Amino acid sequence: MRFRHPDGSTVHLAYCTNVHPAETLDGVLAQLRDHCEPVRRRLGRDRLGIGLWLAKDAAHALVTDPSALRGLRTELDRRGLEVVTLNGFPYEGFGAEEVKYRVYKPDWTDPERLDHTTALARVLAGLLPDDVAEGSISTLPLAWRTAYDGRGAEAARTALLTLAQRLDVLRELTGRDIRVGLEPEPGCTVETTGDAIAPLTAIGHDRIGICVDTCHLATSFEDPHTALDTLAEAGVPVVKSQLSAALHAEHPHLPEVREALAAFDEPRFLHQTRTATAAGLRGTDDLGEALKSDALPDASPWRAHFHVPLHAAPAAPLTSTLPVLKAALTRLVGGPHPLTRHLEVETYTWQALPAELRPRARSQLADGIAAELTLARDLLTDLGLKELP
């Protein structure tokens, strides 16, 4: 979906396909048929943006076989779909029964991360619509914190500098400007937007910036306006933003709230949980850990890294951090010029929701994704952007 900003620039809205498990190119092509095109039809649009997640094997197939890349581009066109952004965070196995900490491997200390991201950039340059010159890729925020030291920091910095050089060459060869954004996430080396400033300014390249995920922003209790203003002052570009909402519990000391939270403690994904205290941010690596007696102070609200559907906040006594998303979006695209032109709805946890909330069929999932995109569209038009055909 495309929108005209009041300054005349085009802002792109997509939804991320990491909600649909696929490890191979055939799986990606099936996604387009079974999920993405039905969502487009529900929205009544001739064109729908999707943020592709390409696992290692799918990316390798596309980057080594020009005919496969042309075939994917043709299939996108045939189904009324377009790609300006990729999710380069998960490497493989994102649809496994248990992902948890594995999603952080390989990290930016491992040459495989550089090679994979380079492949994604080359693929994206070949998938961009003819009238779009700029693409974006979100990526791991360096590494999970426990496996990161001074040597790792230098290896990651060297890898990102190499990536920047490769993106420069790609621009010269293709005319396509591909940018990569570190995506701050609780528990990682770069947990907050503030944590991203030092490593990104050390690289000092306008093709390496930040991806602002509004669920992660909220989970870390960051104020959106302060965070985005600080990034702007530091000269850190917002490459893209993922529109997502976290799980919010206002009164975590109450037994009924604990019971409601426990329904979201599931085995597939990590749900880092945080609370803001007078002594600073406190947290656990997973929701189940937080629910254990006194593992986390409960005098103040808790937020958990669980991407809940944008249009359907959990039932009381829980809610979502949709207000944080709205505040961030106002700062991102509501000013005289957009801070980013790539927005991606990223609710990948539909099948991890409590059983009574999960979609039971493809059609229900398509309905839910279309409803999220409708909400995002309405937020954008309320900010003065005009939806384009």
Side-chain angles (χ1 to χ4, degrees):
M1 301 169 75
R2 298 188 185 192
F3 298 81
R4 181 74 68 208
H5 190 274
D7 75 348
S9 62
T10 300
V11 172
H12 296 266
L13 172 66
Y15 91 88
C16 187
T17 64
N18 62 353
V19 64
H20 312 305
E23 298 290 318
T24 65
L25 179 55
D26 284 344
V28 171
L29 294 171
Q31 285 178 352
L32 306 185
R33 178 193 68 227
D34 296 338
H35 299 288
C36 302
E37 186 176 8
V39 170
R40 178 183 65 76
R41 293 186 181 280
R42 278 164 172 75
L43 292 167
R45 307 300 300 164
D46 293 332
R47 173 173 55 189
L48 175 67
I50 57 171
L52 272 183
W53 171 59
L54 297 172
K56 173 194 67 171
D57 290 345
H60 179 75
L62 290 167
V63 82
T64 56
D65 184 354
S67 65
L69 184 59
R70 289 194 298 270
L72 176 56
R73 173 70 184 272
T74 298
E75 190 70 0
L76 288 165
D77 291 342
R78 188 169 78 86
R79 298 193 181 279
L81 306 169
E82 66 177 12
V83 175
V84 304
T85 189
L86 300 181
N87 187 330
F89 196 135
Y91 181 69
E92 61 183 347
F94 200 60
E97 290 185 4
E98 182 178 334
V99 179
K100 298 290 185 182
Y101 293 94
R102 289 191 296 161
V103 75
Y104 306 107
K105 292 293 185 179
D107 60 31
W108 276 101
T109 69
D110 188 328
E112 287 186 28
R113 176 61 64 172
L114 172 61
D115 292 344
H116 177 59
T117 309
T118 301
L120 292 178
R122 291 173 59 190
V123 168
L124 182 55
L127 292 180
L128 287 177
D130 292 340
D131 60 345
V132 176
E134 183 180 297
S136 62
I137 302 171
S138 48
T139 189
L140 181 78
L142 300 183
W144 184 255
R145 68 184 188 283
T146 56
Y148 202 71
D149 55 19
R151 183 178 299 177
E154 183 56 32
R157 178 177 177 274
T158 300
L160 286 168
L161 284 170
T162 301
L163 176 66
Q165 294 167 356
R166 293 178 180 178
L167 296 177
D168 287 344
V169 172
L170 189 63
R171 173 69 173 82
E172 293 175 6
L173 291 175
T174 67
R176 303 302 178 89
D177 189 8
I178 308 300
R179 301 195 299 164
V180 173
L182 303 184
E183 181 186 331
E185 177 166 311
C188 292
T189 300
V190 174
E191 174 159 339
T192 67
T193 56
D195 294 337
I197 291 174
L200 289 175
T201 53
I203 294 166
H205 197 290
D206 61 4
R207 290 194 175 93
I208 308 293
I210 193 169
C211 167
V212 175
D213 183 301
T214 58
C215 170
H216 303 172
L217 192 78
T219 302
S220 293
F221 286 86
E222 291 195 77
D223 174 73
H225 288 274
T226 301
L228 292 167
D229 286 348
T230 302
L231 289 173
E233 290 166 6
V236 173
V238 181
V239 170
K240 66 184 280 190
S241 180
Q242 289 171 326
L243 306 183
S244 53
L247 188 63
H248 180 95
E250 186 69 18
H251 302 292
H253 65 285
L254 297 176
E256 60 268 31
V257 175
R258 295 291 187 110
E259 183 180 355
L261 283 170
F264 287 84
D265 179 28
E266 54 83 37
R268 180 177 295 180
F269 301 113
L270 207 60
H271 300 297
Q272 303 92 315
T273 304
R274 298 288 184 268
T275 186
T277 73
L281 205 62
R282 293 280 304 278
T284 60
D285 284 355
D286 213 346
L287 179 56
E289 182 185 351
L291 291 169
K292 292 177 182 175
S293 61
D294 60 352
L296 195 63
D298 60 8
S300 299
W302 287 4
R303 290 176 178 174
H305 172 218
F306 195 119
H307 290 220
V308 296
L310 302 187
H311 68 293
L318 304 178
T319 187
S320 80
T321 60
L322 184 62
V324 176
L325 184 160
K326 292 179 178 179
L329 197 59
T330 298
R331 182 68 183 87
L332 285 166
V333 300
H337 304 286
L339 298 184
T340 184
R341 290 185 293 275
H342 291 180
L343 305 172
E344 178 185 62
V345 171
E346 197 214 11
T347 304
Y348 59 84
T349 43
W350 281 96
Q351 298 303 338
L353 290 167
E356 67 274 13
L357 302 178
R358 293 175 200 164
R360 293 183 297 276
R362 284 180 188 168
S363 59
Q364 290 181 321
L365 178 59
D367 289 342
I369 294 170
E372 289 193 294
L373 286 167
T374 297
L375 182 148
R377 178 195 65 195
D378 291 346
L379 292 177
L380 291 173
T381 55
D382 287 347
L383 289 170
L385 283 73
K386 180 182 178 182
E387 187 175 6
L388 298 175

